[in-house]
Amino acid sequence: MAEDSSDRVTEFWAELPKADEDFLGAIRDWNNVQIASDDEVIWLKGFTDEQAVSPEIQQLPNFILYELRDGLLFKKNTLVPSKKLRTALLWTPIDKALRLTFPLSNNNFFGIDEKVEVRLKPSEEEQMAIALLCSIAYIKDFITVLPKFKLEKIDWIVINDQALFMGNPLLSFPGKTFWTKDGHLLPSGFDFEFKNLSSLLQRKYNATHEQWLLWNEDGSVLHLNKEDFRKLSVSSFRLTEKSKEWM
């Protein structure tokens, strides 16, 4: 009787020229993927079905994806094998094999000689909002009538003509919300392009954890000293309004 292959799990392999290794940063956080090198070729294996058809894979230049069948490598959706299975390769998880580097950039985000280009991308993971940025002009007529218990768990800081509120539960004002990750404040619905970058940025630029790093979707960042935050109260808000700190 012929073997029923309908339930067979597809094992994916891939190859990429070593000259294009830097492009693998886009999938560096796929820790299920294994990587090995052979002469001038980088080999990868362990992709899930979803990863094999993902945009991250499709955008990699000179990337060739194979299906492993009976010890032979077939290009996807082909019936003729392209290569034999490579043996004697030393496999390592991709997140351990690839060193995360900080590319030079013209973005003067950090005010130091070494610049870091950081990109944010939409995330499908839902995160609890912990901060709210909203216009002072819009909320000043509402905040003074809120009950004390809604204010006492909130810290706040003035940023130009806006107020950033942090706490739980947040005030129900219209504005832009943020979630926290390793001391970063990221816009709701966004995450770093390379997830492993989060803790590295903290160690490099906020090792003492004395600041919050407030990010915009375009990858720009604002450093906020934690000691500059104050407890929210009607009196603290009125004092700020009178002194016109946001002007």
Side-chain angles (χ1 to χ4, degrees):
M1 181 180 293
E3 181 183 357
D4 182 7
S5 60
S6 60
D7 295 328
R8 183 181 300 169
V9 177
T10 302
E11 182 177 346
F12 295 102
W13 280 50
E15 66 171 312
L16 183 80
K18 278 190 177 179
D20 295 323
E21 180 180 4
D22 289 346
F23 292 102
L24 291 176
I27 61 171
R28 183 183 181 275
D29 60 331
W30 293 0
N31 54 19
N32 57 291
V33 174
Q34 302 277 314
I35 186 172
S37 61
D38 179 18
D39 296 328
E40 296 302 314
V41 175
I42 293 175
W43 289 95
L44 304 101
K45 68 176 182 178
F47 300 98
T48 65
D49 291 345
E50 293 77 12
Q51 290 170 340
V53 296
S54 68
E56 289 90 343
I57 286 292
Q58 296 173 11
Q59 293 172 7
L60 292 175
N62 303 314
F63 183 90
I64 303 175
L65 186 69
Y66 299 101
E67 295 178 0
L68 176 62
R69 308 175 204 158
D70 301 322
L72 299 173
L73 296 175
F74 293 74
K75 289 184 179 179
K76 192 170 175 59
N77 299 323
T78 63
L79 299 176
V80 179
S82 299
K83 294 186 177 183
K84 292 183 178 180
L85 179 67
R86 305 306 298 262
T87 58
L89 294 173
L90 181 61
W91 295 98
T92 307
I94 190 171
D95 58 339
K96 293 181 173 59
L98 296 183
R99 294 183 60 189
L100 187 59
T101 59
F102 294 89
L104 293 178
S105 167
N106 291 325
N107 299 321
N108 189 16
F109 296 155
F110 293 93
I112 58 177
D113 292 336
E114 186 176 3
K115 308 299 189 295
V116 174
E117 184 178 6
V118 179
R119 295 188 181 92
L120 272 62
K121 67 176 183 179
S123 172
E124 297 181 356
E125 298 180 13
E126 186 175 353
Q127 304 288 348
M128 182 181 70
I130 194 174
L132 170 69
L133 184 67
C134 53
S135 166
I136 291 179
Y138 183 88
I139 65 172
K140 65 180 183 179
D141 294 331
F142 300 99
I143 200 166
T144 55
V145 298
L146 288 176
K148 181 180 178 181
F149 74 88
K150 287 192 175 182
L151 307 180
E152 59 188 7
K153 293 185 178 180
I154 302 294
D155 295 326
W156 75 301
I157 191 173
V158 173
I159 305 174
N160 298 322
D161 60 349
Q162 296 180 302
L164 180 70
F165 301 105
M166 290 188 63
N168 187 24
L170 282 175
L171 302 175
S172 55
F173 291 140
K176 183 177 180 179
T177 59
F178 299 81
W179 64 286
T180 182
K181 180 178 184 179
D182 299 326
H184 302 279
L185 293 174
L186 298 170
S188 294
F190 284 80
D191 199 351
F192 292 111
E193 181 181 18
F194 306 131
K195 294 184 178 181
N196 293 349
L197 192 62
S198 175
S199 58
L200 291 175
L201 285 172
Q202 281 293 329
R203 291 199 298 269
K204 194 172 183 67
Y205 297 108
N206 191 26
T208 60
H209 301 284
E210 295 177 350
Q211 298 177 322
W212 287 106
L213 304 185
L214 180 70
W215 293 89
N216 289 315
E217 291 87 342
D218 62 3
S220 60
V221 66
L222 181 64
H223 291 227
L224 303 174
N225 291 325
K226 292 182 179 180
E227 63 181 17
D228 291 338
F229 281 79
R230 69 202 77 176
K231 289 292 182 182
L232 180 59
S233 66
V234 172
S235 60
S236 72
F237 188 85
R238 284 174 172 167
L239 286 172
T240 301
E241 185 179 13
K242 287 180 180 179
S243 64
K244 301 185 182 298
E245 292 179 2
W246 61 87
M247 296 296 292

